[in-house]
Amino acid sequence: MSHPQTLLAPAHSHRAPAGSEPPPGAAADWTVPQHWDELTDEDHWVWDTLFARQKTLLHGRAVKEFEEGLDLLSLSRSGIPDFDELNEKLAARTGWTVVAVPDLIPDEVFFHHLTERRLPVGDFIRSPKQLDYLGEPDVFHDVFGHVPLLAQPAVAEFMMELGQVGLKAIEGNAIDRVSRLYWYTIETGLALERDDVKIYGAGILSSFGETHYCLESARPRRLKFDLERVLRTAYRPDEYQQCYFVLDRFDDLASVIRGHDLTALIAQLDGSPDLDPASAGPDDEVRIP
Ligand code: FE
């Protein structure tokens, strides 16, 4: 058993070295068939167990839009969702679909899929012995964590726009900045709902331990969302976060990209030193009642 201080959050870095070739059996865009019929009873048991546990835990802890979107995952069969059936429901809401990919994929492939409203999803699930540990993003993280919010038009647009700025940033050698924005919103984002802090980041939503930690622990900083600060703050994908960024309202996510010339801001930040995730003035901190 891992000890709680270093239980790993999902690594969602979605990275294989730039320019790598897709593995055998994958298409040119790195997608692979899901082969739902080949999943085992154990695979489905892991999904059902994690699903039941997180759904209960997240009640009142996740933004209300997440709970509203969870009905998308009620399909005709229990266990890991069949992507064909899931995609029919998801596409009808926001035009998004999920596509299976093997393990990690290069940044340019990942961000290109986002521009086409396709969410790359790991084609495997963690083992029953590792319910709380995850090295790479698996189907539970990707589908349970991301899909309910992709049913929201505002998130659907934001993710597509992240794909577009991501591709531009790759050309400009600044993908780390966009990865930070992705990380501190889509993966580890928090937002105020009335006066309470709620979770909307998929990395947390799919993690039992980090759900408790991000809301209840005295260790991490919870900082008011500040775009420039986010772009200047490095992160560790393999442990619980030292800091989280909190939107005043979940709805504000929609204007994080749309309200700014992100490419210009990134160029302006070129050469500026990174900020320490653990240090911020008391005024930057969001108080948890
Ligand atoms: Fe993710």
Side-chain angles (χ1 to χ4, degrees):
M1 286 263 105
S2 311
H3 42 100
Q5 254 50 14
T6 54
L7 266 185
L8 301 185
H12 3 268
S13 47
H14 297 288
R15 278 183 175 168
S20 359
E21 293 295 317
D29 66 359
W30 288 66
T31 58
V32 294
Q34 183 189 21
H35 292 307
W36 193 91
D37 294 335
E38 292 172 18
L39 294 167
T40 66
D41 289 348
E42 190 174 90
D43 293 334
H44 292 304
W45 179 87
V46 170
W47 172 279
D48 289 338
T49 303
L50 291 170
F51 186 97
R53 190 173 71 162
Q54 276 313 96
K55 187 179 174 186
T56 305
L57 176 64
L58 289 171
H59 182 61
R61 292 185 168 94
V63 293
K64 65 176 180 358
E65 289 84 351
F66 176 78
E67 289 199 75
E68 284 166 17
L70 263 182
D71 72 292
L72 261 180
L73 301 181
S74 303
L75 302 176
S76 56
R77 295 181 282 196
S78 66
I80 295 172
D82 178 332
F83 291 173
D84 289 339
E85 189 182 353
L86 175 64
N87 281 340
E88 258 182 56
K89 293 176 76 175
L90 178 59
R93 301 257 183 111
T94 55
W96 274 77
T97 55
V98 303
V99 288
V101 295
D103 211 340
L104 298 184
I105 63 178
D107 280 338
E108 67 270 21
V109 176
F110 177 74
F111 284 101
H112 178 71
H113 277 299
L114 298 189
T115 66
E116 302 286 326
R117 296 176 184 261
R118 287 190 299 262
L119 180 73
V121 169
D123 71 340
F124 64 99
I125 194 157
R126 66 199 76 177
S127 83
K129 292 195 181 118
Q130 295 183 306
L131 291 185
D132 294 311
Y133 163 82
L134 182 58
E136 311 296 354
D138 70 344
V139 64
F140 184 75
H141 162 75
D142 283 325
V143 172
F144 180 88
H146 287 286
V147 166
L149 283 172
L150 275 177
Q152 295 288 332
V155 180
E157 291 306 302
F158 177 75
M159 282 279 272
M160 195 264 291
E161 289 162 5
L162 266 174
Q164 293 170 337
V165 295
L167 289 183
K168 271 194 219 162
I170 289 169
E171 279 171 29
N173 252 338
I175 192 58
D176 284 354
R177 301 272 187 215
V178 176
S179 295
R180 290 170 181 181
L181 176 57
Y182 187 91
W183 184 260
Y184 285 120
T185 55
I186 292 299
E187 295 295 355
T188 65
L190 302 176
L192 288 173
E193 212 169 76
R194 297 187 192 87
D195 290 330
D196 295 328
V197 177
K198 305 281 180 172
I199 302 163
Y200 74 88
I204 307 174
L205 294 168
S206 57
S207 163
F208 184 84
E210 196 160 3
T211 295
H212 282 294
Y213 170 87
C214 76
L215 296 180
E216 295 151 26
S217 170
R219 279 182 66 206
R221 312 296 299 272
R222 298 171 193 86
L223 305 176
K224 287 180 193 162
F225 185 89
D226 177 276
L227 180 58
E228 186 174 324
R229 185 175 187 99
V230 165
L231 297 174
R232 292 180 61 190
T233 305
Y235 63 87
R236 288 280 307 264
D238 57 347
E239 53 185 41
Y240 292 171
Q241 300 302 293
Q242 289 179 281
C243 80
Y244 298 93
F245 287 93
V246 187
L247 293 168
D248 284 341
R249 297 175 320 142
F250 180 56
D251 284 352
D252 291 350
L253 186 65
S255 52
V256 167
I257 292 179
R258 194 159 294 173
H260 300 88
D261 184 344
L262 203 60
T263 304
L265 179 57
I266 286 171
Q268 204 181 310
L269 291 176
D270 194 26
S272 58
D274 282 351
L275 299 171
D276 180 351
S279 72
D283 291 349
D284 298 328
E285 200 125 14
V286 173
R287 297 270 157 234
I288 295 205

